[in-house]
Amino acid sequence: MGSRQTRIAFPIKCLNLFHSKNSLFHLFIFLICLPIGFVCALYLQNFSAAVQISIFSVFHSISLPPPPPPPLAHANTLSSFPSPPPLLSESISSATPPSLLPPRVSITDKIPMMHNMSDEDLIKSAIESSRMNTTNTSPYKVAFMFLTPGRLPLAPLWELFFKGHEGLYSIYVHPHPSYNDTIPQDSVFYGTRITSQPVYWGDISMIDAERRLLANALLDPSNQRFVLLSDSCIPLFNFTMTYRYLVNSNISHVASIDDERKSGRGRYNPQMSPNITIQDWRKGSQWFEVNRELALGIVADQNYYGLFKEYCHRPCYNDEHYLPTMVNILYGGLNSNRSITHVDWSIVAPHPRKYAGSEITKELLNSIRFGSTGCLYNDNTTPMCVLFARKFSPGTLNPLLTFAPLLFGTSN
């Protein structure tokens, strides 16, 4: 109780001193308190500001999203592809693909392989997809596009070729629309069929099917190289060598020659002039391989496609002249003017030589694989000029499977 009275009495005595008439005392108190008050005020101001900044920083970090990651490198140009490998060295068979980058959502997640879109709408979607996807994904994929009347009799050989390389390829199959297939779910060809239309030899419908395959493949921005194959085609090397050859190439491969014979220039229709002159006219194999830029140019073309549709009729064959001529006019600098699919035209006939099962030998396969006198690959001469070959009959499957170790090596 006494301590409480003492606590109360002390401030009362201080107040009495302030109310006293002693001016000197007042002045003394004032002089002491003035600097103390100034220091305290300055300290409180800085402390308040520090507290406000700290609180603001906390709320700012909570309310704002993290900074976006740096954009992926632009890979739409040819120069962005990895440097070409030494194709004839032993290291190529075990070389690793380009480094992985974060995947992007493909428009193929929205448009299924089988759809009810018209060719015009499909091509528009492919062009729009390419415009939207300005940054490519990695690893780059090769689109293997099979144009076939029905089943793929050599599918088991292709299964061995693709095995173990998931994520580096896409498959698109264009059969006759009336063909009914039953593909096992564990097959690489399961779910690869696209919406198709009837195709007739030498007709513009052949070009329509090629553009249809390309448009479907262009919907996937990861696809950077596009190979047209038939049901009678086989691979001549293992997947790794084939993949690196294509992805590292700085140009496309469309056969395009100036053939002055009746079967060449003799098929030119003067009504195509002045858009297509006799000097522009070219001939070549329809089995092409192109990069993404050229693939987009093929599906987007209306001018030359329209001229061929109107004026190229037998003995003019669209599949032998449209792409060779169009590519020569618009993309000559991006093309090797050769096909990478071997075909034997040593016989004089409307169609090339067709191999039977009894003809399949180690010597035949090696003569096809390395029988060329040499061609240019990225400005360097190489005997490795073809990656695929045709026409192999269904009866060649078992012999080809026997020689698969020769084609694909001990490790694909």
Side-chain angles (χ1 to χ4, degrees):
M1 185 70 178
S3 61
R4 179 183 179 192
Q5 290 177 349
T6 302
R7 290 197 299 270
I8 296 174
F10 179 77
I12 294 175
K13 291 180 179 180
C14 291
L15 288 175
N16 290 336
L17 287 174
F18 278 103
H19 287 287
S20 68
K21 296 181 181 180
N22 192 335
S23 301
L24 291 176
F25 181 78
H26 288 174
L27 179 61
F28 176 78
I29 295 298
F30 175 78
L31 292 176
I32 293 176
C33 293
L34 181 62
I36 295 175
F38 179 80
V39 173
C40 292
L42 183 62
Y43 174 80
L44 290 174
Q45 181 179 4
N46 292 337
F47 178 77
S48 176
V51 171
Q52 291 180 13
I53 292 173
S54 178
I55 293 174
F56 175 80
S57 300
V58 171
F59 280 99
H60 184 70
S61 63
I62 294 175
S63 60
L64 291 181
L72 298 179
H74 194 284
N76 250 359
T77 59
L78 289 171
S79 61
S80 62
F81 285 113
S83 300
L87 290 176
L88 302 181
S89 71
E90 292 297 326
S91 61
I92 187 171
S93 61
S94 60
T96 56
S99 58
L100 302 184
L101 290 177
R104 303 178 68 235
V105 177
S106 168
I107 197 170
T108 51
D109 293 334
K110 303 176 182 179
I111 301 178
M113 290 280 199
M114 297 293 291
H115 51 72
N116 295 322
M117 299 174 64
S118 64
D119 285 353
E120 292 77 12
D121 290 338
L122 175 63
I123 289 174
K124 288 179 182 178
S125 297
I127 295 173
E128 184 63 24
S129 172
S130 295
R131 288 174 179 170
M132 293 170 57
N133 294 287
T134 56
T135 303
N136 296 331
T137 58
S138 184
Y140 301 129
K141 291 196 294 188
V142 176
F144 293 84
M145 308 177 300
F146 291 85
L147 181 59
T148 173
R151 73 185 185 96
L152 296 173
L154 304 177
L157 182 67
W158 284 101
E159 295 270 3
L160 290 178
F161 172 77
F162 288 118
K163 185 178 180 181
H165 299 284
E166 293 76 11
L168 297 178
Y169 64 86
S170 303
I171 299 176
Y172 303 86
V173 181
H174 185 296
H176 192 280
S178 64
Y179 171 67
N180 294 321
D181 57 347
T182 53
I183 306 296
Q185 292 190 15
D186 60 349
S187 169
V188 297
F189 292 98
Y190 180 78
T192 61
R193 178 173 180 168
I194 68 168
T195 301
S196 60
Q197 296 293 334
V199 176
Y200 304 99
W201 179 64
D203 189 69
I204 194 67
S205 61
M206 187 79 74
I207 306 303
D208 292 334
E210 295 174 6
R211 284 157 58 100
R212 199 174 294 124
L213 281 162
L214 283 171
N216 277 277
L218 281 166
L219 292 175
D220 186 345
S222 297
N223 289 330
Q224 293 297 313
R225 309 296 297 200
F226 304 78
V227 185
L228 182 67
L229 301 162
S230 74
D231 55 310
S232 66
C233 284
I234 66 167
L236 295 173
F237 300 93
N238 66 38
F239 182 91
T240 300
M241 294 184 70
T242 303
Y243 175 86
R244 289 181 63 84
Y245 191 106
L246 298 178
V247 171
N248 294 340
S249 176
N250 56 21
I251 54 177
S252 297
H253 301 92
V254 179
S256 179
I257 61 173
D258 184 6
D259 187 350
E260 297 183 354
R261 298 176 301 173
K262 183 178 180 180
S263 58
R265 285 196 176 193
R267 296 173 178 176
Y268 170 72
N269 188 338
Q271 291 180 287
M272 293 183 173
S273 181
N275 292 288
I276 301 175
T277 66
I278 187 66
Q279 290 76 24
D280 298 324
W281 191 254
R282 294 293 185 272
K283 180 182 179 180
S285 168
Q286 76 176 107
W287 310 105
F288 61 79
E289 186 279 328
V290 296
N291 61 31
R292 190 171 183 87
E293 178 182 355
L294 188 47
L296 186 60
I298 294 172
V299 301
D301 171 54
Q302 292 297 326
N303 183 27
Y304 299 101
Y305 170 81
L307 289 170
F308 271 84
K309 185 175 183 178
E310 184 173 1
Y311 297 117
C312 182
H313 304 287
R314 295 182 184 180
C316 175
Y317 298 96
N318 286 272
D319 55 295
E320 293 184 10
H321 296 284
Y322 166 66
L323 275 186
T325 301
M326 189 272 283
V327 170
N328 172 60
I329 297 172
L330 298 180
Y331 304 97
L334 301 178
N335 185 35
S336 68
N337 296 322
R338 65 180 176 91
S339 174
I340 56 172
T341 299
H342 167 82
V343 182
D344 185 352
W345 283 102
S346 60
I347 59 174
V348 180
H351 300 283
R353 173 185 178 183
K354 190 170 187 177
Y355 297 99
S358 58
E359 299 178 85
I360 306 303
T361 63
K362 177 181 178 180
E363 291 71 26
L364 172 67
L365 294 175
N366 275 334
S367 69
I368 296 175
R369 299 166 82 208
F370 301 110
S372 303
T373 56
C375 57
L376 289 179
Y377 176 85
N378 290 356
D379 299 324
N380 295 316
T381 303
T382 173
M384 189 174 171
C385 299
V386 291
L387 301 180
F388 312 98
R390 62 186 303 269
K391 302 175 67 172
F392 288 79
S393 66
T396 63
L397 176 61
N398 287 333
L400 286 171
L401 291 175
T402 301
F403 286 110
L406 168 68
L407 298 176
F408 303 149
T410 56
S411 175
N412 191 16

